[in-house]
Amino acid sequence: MSAKLRETQKSDSAAAALGKLQRLSRNFQYLHTECGLIRTALNGLASDLAEPQNLLKQALADAAALNFTVHEDGSVSYPATEVADLTGAKKEAPAARSRAAPASRWNRRPRRAGAVAALPWLLGLQATEP
C-alpha cells in the first residue's frame, strides 16, 4: 500500500499519509512481537501445569473410587467404616476430615505411593486425624 501511494501521489498530504502508514506498520510489528511473547509465556505455563493437573485429576478420581469426599474448600473427608478387633468384635472406625494447611508446610511431595497419597500435598492439606 505504501509503495503504490509513494509511486502515484506527490503531495504534502501523501507524505503525511506515508508517515502515518509507516508508524502504523511499526506499531503493528511491535504488537505482533509482544503477542508472540505472551503466547510463548502462556504455552510454557500450560506445559508446566499439565503434569500437576493430571496428578490432581488422578487423585480426585482415586478419591472418588475410595468413596472419599473432596469439599469445595479443598478439605477431604472419608466415611466411617466397621473394623474387627482381635476378638472379632465389630467396631466403627470414626470418619475423618483433613483441612487446608499453610502452603509452606508442604514444601515437597509425600513419600507415600499413589495419587490419593499425593492429594493432600496437591491441595495443600493437612490431616486433622492421625
Side-chain angles (χ1 to χ4, degrees):
M1 186 174 186
S2 298
K4 279 288 186 187
L5 185 61
R6 197 176 303 115
E7 291 171 6
T8 59
Q9 305 294 318
K10 304 289 183 199
S11 67
D12 291 339
S13 60
L18 278 171
K20 289 182 181 183
L21 279 174
Q22 288 172 348
R23 181 176 170 201
L24 181 64
S25 176
R26 285 191 311 270
N27 287 343
F28 177 76
Q29 288 173 353
Y30 174 77
L31 224 112
H32 182 72
T33 302
E34 291 296 314
C35 287
L37 292 172
I38 292 169
R39 182 185 67 222
T40 301
L42 290 175
N43 284 340
L45 176 64
S47 175
D48 289 347
L49 292 177
E51 183 183 350
Q53 181 184 33
N54 289 336
L55 284 173
L56 179 60
K57 286 179 181 179
Q58 181 62 44
L60 291 172
D62 289 350
L66 293 170
N67 207 18
F68 290 1
T69 303
V70 180
H71 304 279
E72 284 186 26
D73 65 352
S75 62
V76 179
S77 61
Y78 55 90
T81 64
E82 282 191 6
V83 294
D85 63 8
L86 294 175
T87 64
K90 299 273 185 179
K91 293 185 178 181
E92 187 172 291
R97 183 172 179 157
S98 59
R99 60 181 168 77
S104 62
R105 183 135 193 200
W106 296 93
N107 58 0
R108 61 178 184 202
R109 290 183 179 201
R111 293 184 180 147
R112 295 172 287 173
V116 170
L119 185 62
W121 174 78
L122 288 170
L123 298 175
L125 301 175
Q126 155 188 336
T128 56
E129 296 287 326

